Amino acid sequence: MTAGSPAAGDDEEEGGIRSALGGLTTRGRSFLAAGVAAALCAVVLGQSDLLRVGLLLAVLPLLCVAVLHRTRHRVAGSRRLFPSRVPAGSEARVHLRLDNVSRLPTGLLMLQDHVPYVLGPRPRFVLDRVEPGGRREVSYRVRSDLRGRYPLGPLQLRLNDPFGMCELTRSFSAADTLTVIPRTEPLPPVSLPGDAAGYGDGRQRTLALAGDDDVIPRTYRHGDDLRRVHWRSTARYGELMVRREEQPQRPRCTVLLDTRRAAYRGAGPDSAFEWAVSGAASAVVHLLERGFSVQLLTDTGTSLPGAGDGPAGSPQESAGLILDALAVVHHSDGTGLSRACDVLRGGGEGLLVAFLGDMDEEQTAVAARIRRRSGSAIAFVLDSRVWTADGTADEAARVRLRALREAGWTAVPAGPGAALPGLWREAGRERAHPAPAGTAGPSGRWS
């Protein structure tokens, strides 16, 4: 929740009065001018009644300015965004609250919140008189089909007096940010390398100690086996210490996202690049849920935040970090996959899932080297010609796909409208029963 606070200070007050006088409407300026003219004529002609009328005409707009100036700094506004992170194409609701903290009622108020054009039209609300100590709450919805972080605010309040003499505007400085993350799809469970090591009795374990010098003890807890008491540490710390239990080792996976500008054509939510980003997000969420330690890598060699090899939080927290990073990932100016290959150098274990765009012969050779430096590798290959032209791949694309398969990749083509769950299931079948080189699965729709 964000809120605005009143201005403070003599200089600000003086500047505020000047700006308030600048808020006089045409009617207010006309009344002021007529009042001054009537007062001058009354002095010249000696007409006391005309002088009283002139003073009334001149004082009325100034009185409205004074009341609105005080009211403007006695109104507090706040915003609450729920949720603050939404998938592309989903809606979020913004709640606005206005509090009158003065002892006087307000006049007619117009509330306006600044939102980016991509989120929809700028919301405006007209509020009637707000009693002293009263509040008003309104809400609106925002929606975007494009990933990104979008600022909401500042909240702007426009005040009018009942006579239409003055109109003042106040902007609250606080703002919020809406994060639009890529759409994710639930993926079917398929047999993946590391599953056997990650679950059940087959899970790999690492011993907490390799000898007396490498002991990592912990404090004794009720129910611990007394046979695991480590007497040397007990004597050192003055309390009962036991050896730690064997710790399960999580299977590792790297998700490689090709972001090269030259590898994709077209733009918008239905473009090949957005499909690749959404596919990478879906794979990350799915693998984290299955117990993998996931690293998200781009072609630039940059590892986006997530679980990785650092301190692991819950799968939901790790997925949230990676999805937030994917919300703002854009095309890179790189032309190759060499940097990613260097990062994966010496990797030899774990699963590699890649989302690749257009590749020439050189980049196909680099991808082959990446495969040799990983355990098992799955690639979803997007061809720009299929996405932007007549929907058919040329012979060069088929040759690149065949080369990836010969290098050991489980390569699956991804065409427009292809559903990632179907391709994921196809990749699982392909690993179990490799298809002849040069052919493409039906889900990818390469012909």
Side-chain angles (χ1 to χ4, degrees):
M1 178 182 290
T2 58
S5 57
D10 295 338
D11 294 339
E12 293 182 4
E13 184 72 16
E14 182 180 353
I17 294 176
R18 287 198 299 266
S19 65
L21 289 174
L24 285 171
T25 62
T26 302
R27 179 184 298 178
R29 295 175 187 273
S30 300
F31 267 67
L32 182 61
V36 172
L40 291 177
C41 292
V43 172
V44 172
L45 299 176
Q47 298 291 328
S48 58
D49 293 338
L50 181 60
L51 179 61
R52 286 192 288 271
V53 172
L55 292 177
L56 176 63
L57 293 176
V59 168
L60 182 59
L62 296 179
L63 183 61
C64 292
V65 167
V67 171
L68 284 187
H69 176 66
R70 174 181 171 81
T71 303
R72 180 173 64 171
H73 295 282
R74 294 291 181 175
V75 176
S78 62
R79 179 192 305 101
R80 182 164 53 89
L81 175 62
F82 181 81
S84 60
R85 178 199 291 142
V86 295
S90 300
E91 290 184 342
R93 182 172 289 274
V94 183
H95 298 269
L96 304 178
R97 172 175 161 179
L98 200 67
D99 294 274
N100 182 11
V101 297
S102 71
R103 298 180 180 178
L104 298 176
T106 68
L108 189 67
L109 304 177
M110 190 179 80
L111 202 61
Q112 175 179 279
D113 207 8
H114 289 261
V115 301
Y117 176 77
V118 70
L119 296 182
R122 182 170 296 176
R124 294 182 175 91
F125 304 93
V126 177
L127 305 179
D128 292 332
R129 175 181 176 273
V130 181
E131 65 279 3
R135 71 176 59 164
R136 297 290 185 272
E137 294 186 4
V138 293
S139 64
Y140 65 94
R141 296 179 179 180
V142 289
R143 179 181 183 273
S144 174
D145 292 326
L146 300 175
R147 299 174 294 107
R149 288 197 180 105
Y150 301 102
L152 300 178
L155 183 63
Q156 192 175 68
L157 180 65
R158 184 177 298 174
L159 303 90
N160 294 283
D161 67 281
F163 302 103
M165 299 287 182
C166 184
E167 181 179 276
L168 296 182
T169 300
R170 178 185 176 186
S171 293
F172 300 91
S173 59
D176 288 289
T177 300
L178 174 67
T179 303
V180 181
I181 60 177
R183 286 188 292 263
T184 59
E185 298 180 89
L187 302 181
V190 298
S191 176
L192 296 174
D195 277 357
Y199 293 94
D201 296 335
R203 177 186 288 230
Q204 294 178 354
R205 296 180 179 270
T206 56
L207 293 176
L209 65 135
D212 287 341
D213 295 335
D214 297 322
V215 169
I216 306 177
R218 63 169 175 82
T219 306
Y220 173 83
R221 299 171 185 167
H222 179 71
D224 284 339
D225 190 347
L226 292 178
R227 289 175 297 181
R228 292 197 295 110
V229 173
H230 191 263
W231 298 108
R232 181 178 298 179
S233 298
T234 299
R236 177 181 179 183
Y237 293 103
E239 57 180 330
L240 203 58
M241 307 292 289
V242 298
R243 294 182 174 90
R244 291 182 183 271
E245 297 176 348
E246 296 175 339
Q247 302 297 321
Q249 182 177 358
R250 299 174 65 188
R252 297 185 179 184
C253 175
T254 299
V255 177
L256 173 61
L257 176 61
D258 184 3
T259 64
R260 295 172 297 134
R261 189 182 304 276
Y264 302 94
R265 299 177 190 173
D270 297 326
S271 64
F273 180 66
E274 292 301 322
W275 191 96
V277 174
S278 178
S282 301
V284 165
V285 172
H286 175 74
L287 292 167
L288 285 172
E289 290 175 349
R290 297 192 64 172
F292 281 80
S293 176
V294 181
Q295 176 190 24
L296 180 62
L297 187 69
T298 66
D299 58 286
T300 62
T302 303
S303 180
L304 300 184
D309 297 325
S314 67
Q316 292 78 12
E317 293 174 349
S318 300
L321 289 173
I322 297 182
L323 290 177
D324 285 345
L326 284 174
V328 294
V329 69
H330 297 295
H331 288 294
S332 70
D333 294 328
T335 58
L337 302 172
S338 300
R339 293 183 180 179
C341 182
D342 294 338
V343 172
L344 295 171
R345 186 189 305 275
E349 296 182 359
L351 174 66
L352 174 61
V353 179
F355 293 83
L356 305 174
D358 286 344
M359 296 182 295
D360 54 19
E361 293 183 4
E362 179 181 355
Q363 299 312 315
T364 303
V366 174
R369 293 202 302 271
I370 293 177
R371 164 62 187 87
R372 288 193 292 270
R373 292 174 182 177
S374 63
S376 182
I378 301 174
F380 299 95
V381 184
L382 294 82
D383 184 70
S384 293
R385 178 182 176 87
V386 179
W387 282 80
T388 60
D390 56 5
T392 60
D394 56 14
E395 184 59 30
R398 297 190 187 93
V399 170
R400 292 192 295 269
L401 189 66
R402 187 184 306 116
L404 290 177
R405 288 176 171 172
E406 291 174 350
W409 285 89
T410 301
V412 180
L420 183 60
L423 299 182
W424 190 262
R425 188 178 292 106
E426 180 183 336
R429 291 196 303 265
E430 186 78 12
R431 286 191 62 256
H433 307 285
T439 63
S443 298
R445 298 184 182 178
W446 279 25
S447 58

